[in-house]
Amino acid sequence: MSLLEIKDLQATVGEKQILKGLNLTLRPGEVHAIMGPNGAGKSTLGYSLAGRDGYEVTGGSVTFDGKDLLEMDPSERANEGLFLAFQYPVEIPGVAGTTFLKHALNAKRRHHGEEELDGLEFVKFLRGKAKELGMNDEMLKRPVNVGFSGGEKKRNETLQMSVLEPKLAVLDETDSGLDIDALRVVADGVNRLRSPDRAILVITHYQRLLDYLVPDFVHVLADGKIVKSGDKSLALELEEKGYAEFVSAA
Ligand code: ADP
Ligand code: MG
Ligand code: MG
């Protein structure tokens, strides 16, 4: 069964139609990359999946693990196992990452009728996850993302993902400040989080990212639709030819 099935998705931002009939299917275990020219609607796709205010779905359907995603509010989407890296706040002074993450994890556990973890249990769980990833959890003791480098933010995101154990992780790499180090961290994080029961969708402007990350499928999003799909060799082709053939001369 597919984990995410997007059919004929249409979405507007303001009055402007951005997604114009987008189709995409992800099965568990797969890593997909979405690439495309600037302004194509890549981030709009991510925000529409997240249910962010201001991104209005006007047509089509999204089925997530057999359920209607579009019926759910953003927190339900998270509790059902959707992880959106960019949904996490840019910076929150005074609030430690651990506090933030513990709330998110416990909300999800409550949703599934599981007992909440108390402070000590959470710290143990977090340390275990950090160890699995070969990271330390020091970063999470600092206020959320305050003063983090690009690479640190990405490392932190990987740890958040592994703690929340999402069924689907969507990463929108919009940060124009990502250096090679940060790109490697993203790729490494995605590779570590690959699992037969999880799908990962990486949205990226960076062809370079795919030098480090080997997706199972690559899609080109142009003018609000998926216009081409292929395997990782499509990324190399795009590297060479750019997006010119997908951009209308208008
Ligand atoms: P991409 O991520 O592919 O570069 P976006 O999804 O960010 O593209 O943007 C698609 C289109 O939607 C662009 O024309 C952009 O100007 C417009 N857009 C996106 N977000 C907003 C917003 N918050 N307000 C107004 N227009 C927006
Ligand atoms: Mg853009
Ligand atoms: Mg974008």
Side-chain angles (χ1 to χ4, degrees), residues 11 14 20 41 46 75 83 85 91 93 111-112 122 124 133 140 156 167 194 201 207 236 238 248:
K20 302 177 180 174
S75 60
F83 176 90
E91 292 188 357
H111 180 79
H112 293 281
F122 175 73
K124 264 191 173 167
L133 293 172
L140 280 165
N156 208 10
K167 291 181 201 145
R194 271 178 187 262
L201 179 62
Q207 285 154 30
L236 299 174
L238 293 168
S248 68

Side-chain angles (χ1 to χ4, degrees), residues 1-7 24-26 61-65:
M1 197 180 82
S2 57
L3 179 61
L4 184 75
E5 185 143 8
I6 303 177
K7 281 190 183 156
L24 185 67
T25 300
L26 274 66
S61 63
V62 181
T63 308
F64 178 51
D65 205 19

Side-chain angles (χ1 to χ4, degrees), residues 7 20 24 38 59 80 94 101 105 111 132-133 168 186 203:
K7 281 190 183 156
K20 302 177 180 174
L24 185 67
N38 220 340
E80 285 290 332
L101 193 53
L105 179 64
H111 180 79
E132 268 173 40
L133 293 172
L168 172 64
V186 173
I203 299 172

